[in-house]
Amino acid sequence: MKAGRRWGSFVFLLAFALGSSGAAVAAKPATRSGGKPEKKPTPDVLAEGEGKVLRWHFESGEILELKKFSEQVIKTGATSEKRSVFHRVLLETRAVDAAQGYQLEGTFTTLVRGSGSDSPFTETERHNASFFLTPAGMFTVPAGQYMPNIRSVPTFSETRDPALKDEAAMEPGTTWEKPGAEVMRFTDLVTVPFNVRYEYRGLENVKSQDGEKNCHKFIANYELNFGDAEQGGPRVFGYVTSIWFWDSAQGIPYYAQEDYNVIIVNEAGIANEFKIKSRSYYRKFQARTDPEKITLAEKLREELVTENPQISVRVTDHGVAISLPDVFFDTDSASLSSDAKSVLKQIGKPLAALKNRHIRVRGHTDSTGDEKYNQQLSEKRAATVAEYLIDKADLNPDTLSYEGRGARDPIADNSIADGRAKNRRVEIILLDK
């Protein structure tokens, strides 16, 4: 970690349950007498989870979404910063393999805003990831891959479960221990190991964003104690406590909350103290098919474009985008025109009806002028639109974020005036993944 300021790297907590702290290391094969390799059958990791309720489960094509909201206090020396952080994880099940489990692939995104603010989140980090997850919670992650950075939390007992009987039954008060790890970015990636202590608490009703559900509750606690002051190098120490509510019907967590109290000392000896309280919401869904997105786009056109022909609606790889033209802003300014404010109020009505759908506002420019200036203008315009939708259209700030793209994503030819005009836009994207 450089001089104590790369905080986003350390706060993607409870992002997922991870097992191996890197690529699996191939063991030297056993040999029979005579020197020939001994062949052993590959265990079926999917069959191991059959009949148990504390297990991950996915079907091919399913998407897991994690929305984690954190209130953070970060202290460096005499200075202190408070902020709110929104982590959004989207992982698609690419394959289901009896030997390795579920192949998950997707993105880990960090978005930040000031603590206690109702302003929209702005994206600060995005990481791609691809890995395998077994039903019991063990991962195989390629070497050198940063995300997911919290690994093996939770991992389940192989021998006991609430659905089993007799000695294999898991009653309230049952405990088990499993190793875990957190991968941190210093000058290089460093794996910090720990031992997690679990206790099963039984069934309990819990309220989440999607309503109330009866879930299996368990707690997880671990301490971090890594590094040696005399030998130098990074050091990490502290403790983490979490409460999980497991949705056995879906095979994923339903809700989790966590307290993270950790001090991280980098190679230069600079200590950052993290005090983080977070709540996490999980759900599974199938990505919208093109016909579904087309239907939604047509509905929005009927509701919005008929009365406001200056805006457009189109289907994208990420969802459905409502495009606001450059004329909605004063020249070289992020100030909204009176026409823009009127249209945004109308746009807010159908958006408010799409509960729990994340909305990303993206600003774009043409390719003329200074690159840095274009980037800043695109960010300011996206922020203005997002803030107006929160303030005047009463959209939930937790479901809204913004980013500036500058001239990086043109939709028309920048060499002609008409194309440049089309590229100068702000898009309101109803994300489906």
Side-chain angles (χ1 to χ4, degrees):
M1 183 174 62
K2 305 292 187 183
R5 282 287 173 182
R6 289 169 63 179
W7 295 330
S9 305
F10 296 106
V11 290
F12 231 126
L13 310 172
L14 285 184
F16 221 64
L18 304 182
S20 61
S21 59
V25 178
K28 187 175 180 180
T31 57
R32 299 184 182 131
S33 58
K36 293 184 179 180
E38 181 181 351
K39 295 183 178 179
K40 293 184 178 181
T42 302
D44 187 331
V45 297
L46 301 179
E48 183 278 335
E50 292 179 359
K52 299 172 182 176
V53 295
L54 293 183
R55 288 295 184 272
W56 295 91
H57 180 77
F58 297 98
E59 300 291 342
S60 183
E62 283 187 325
I63 294 175
L64 175 71
E65 178 187 45
L66 160 62
K67 294 189 292 185
K68 179 178 181 179
F69 300 93
S70 300
E71 294 301 320
Q72 305 184 356
V73 179
I74 306 131
K75 295 181 179 179
T76 305
T79 65
S80 178
E81 178 184 351
K82 294 182 179 181
R83 65 180 190 170
S84 298
V85 177
F86 169 35
H87 297 301
R88 187 171 189 246
V89 180
L90 285 172
L91 296 169
E92 182 171 356
T93 311
R94 294 292 191 182
V96 179
D97 183 88
Q100 300 182 84
Y102 308 108
Q103 183 186 12
L104 302 177
E105 184 175 300
T107 57
F108 289 71
T109 306
T110 301
L111 306 102
V112 178
R113 70 183 179 199
S115 181
S117 170
D118 285 334
S119 62
F121 289 96
T122 183
E123 182 176 320
T124 58
E125 285 192 63
R126 179 177 295 191
H127 301 274
N128 296 322
S130 180
F131 48 88
F132 280 91
L133 163 68
T134 68
M138 298 298 295
F139 277 58
T140 302
V141 184
Q145 181 172 295
Y146 177 41
M147 288 295 169
N149 68 325
I150 296 294
R151 305 183 174 185
S152 297
V153 184
T155 300
F156 300 114
S157 169
E158 298 92 344
T159 58
R160 304 187 71 175
D161 187 85
L164 301 179
K165 304 295 184 182
D166 301 324
E167 293 184 357
M170 182 177 286
E171 302 290 345
T174 299
T175 60
W176 69 99
E177 294 190 12
K178 291 290 179 181
E182 179 173 353
V183 177
M184 297 184 176
R185 282 194 310 192
F186 294 92
T187 302
D188 300 307
L189 293 181
V190 173
T191 300
V192 178
F194 49 79
N195 193 55
V196 189
R197 300 175 294 277
Y198 298 92
E199 181 180 341
Y200 180 64
R201 294 293 182 87
L203 287 167
E204 185 174 312
N205 286 347
V206 61
K207 290 184 178 179
S208 179
Q209 290 181 329
D210 295 323
E212 187 171 342
K213 184 171 287 191
N214 192 240
C215 295
H216 292 274
K217 178 182 178 181
F218 57 91
I219 61 173
N221 301 294
Y222 60 90
E223 296 177 359
L224 294 166
N225 189 1
F226 175 84
D228 189 318
E230 294 183 359
Q231 295 182 3
R235 288 176 288 144
V236 182
F237 44 93
Y239 63 93
V240 181
T241 62
S242 56
I243 303 173
W244 294 79
F245 294 87
W246 192 264
D247 185 346
S248 59
Q250 292 293 311
I252 60 172
Y254 185 63
Y255 172 75
Q257 60 188 50
E258 179 193 60
D259 284 343
Y260 184 87
N261 299 274
V262 175
I263 295 174
I264 299 170
V265 184
N266 68 10
E267 298 97 322
I270 297 175
N272 293 320
E273 181 180 359
F274 295 83
K275 290 185 177 293
I276 303 172
K277 291 184 178 293
S278 64
R279 62 192 193 281
S280 301
Y281 306 90
Y282 296 77
R283 71 182 181 111
K284 285 195 302 189
F285 63 95
Q286 292 283 349
R288 285 181 176 268
T289 62
D290 285 341
E292 289 175 320
K293 289 194 285 189
I294 291 170
T295 299
L296 177 59
E298 289 176 347
K299 182 175 183 293
L300 291 172
R301 289 191 191 101
E302 291 177 3
E303 295 181 9
L304 301 172
V305 180
T306 303
E307 295 184 13
N308 306 284
Q310 66 272 54
I311 70 173
S312 61
V313 178
R314 64 189 181 94
V315 173
T316 75
D317 291 339
H318 303 289
V320 177
I322 304 168
S323 187
L324 310 178
D326 180 53
V327 295
F328 273 20
F329 300 89
D330 296 337
T331 303
D332 288 333
S333 169
S335 298
L336 291 167
S337 66
S338 57
D339 287 343
K341 294 176 181 178
S342 175
V343 171
L344 284 173
K345 288 181 181 178
Q346 295 179 53
I347 290 174
K349 294 178 182 178
L351 298 188
L354 299 170
K355 296 181 178 179
N356 294 328
R357 172 71 71 86
H358 192 76
I359 298 168
R360 177 70 53 81
V361 181
R362 285 183 178 149
H364 303 269
T365 67
D366 61 28
S367 60
T368 60
D370 179 72
E371 181 179 344
K372 182 178 179 181
Y373 175 82
N374 285 339
Q375 176 63 32
Q376 291 175 343
L377 180 61
S378 68
E379 289 179 3
K380 290 177 181 178
R381 287 184 169 182
T384 298
V385 170
E387 289 167 358
Y388 193 86
L389 288 171
I390 292 171
D391 292 340
K392 303 301 181 182
D394 202 27
L395 294 190
N396 182 357
D398 288 347
T399 65
L400 199 65
S401 61
Y402 73 91
E403 64 176 321
R405 299 291 296 168
R408 295 192 295 277
D409 298 327
I411 57 172
D413 187 354
N414 269 311
S415 67
I416 59 175
D418 183 62
R420 290 192 295 274
K422 290 179 180 178
N423 289 330
R424 296 190 299 267
R425 69 199 190 279
V426 172
E427 293 182 325
I428 302 168
I429 306 173
L430 284 64
L431 295 174
D432 59 1
K433 67 176 183 177

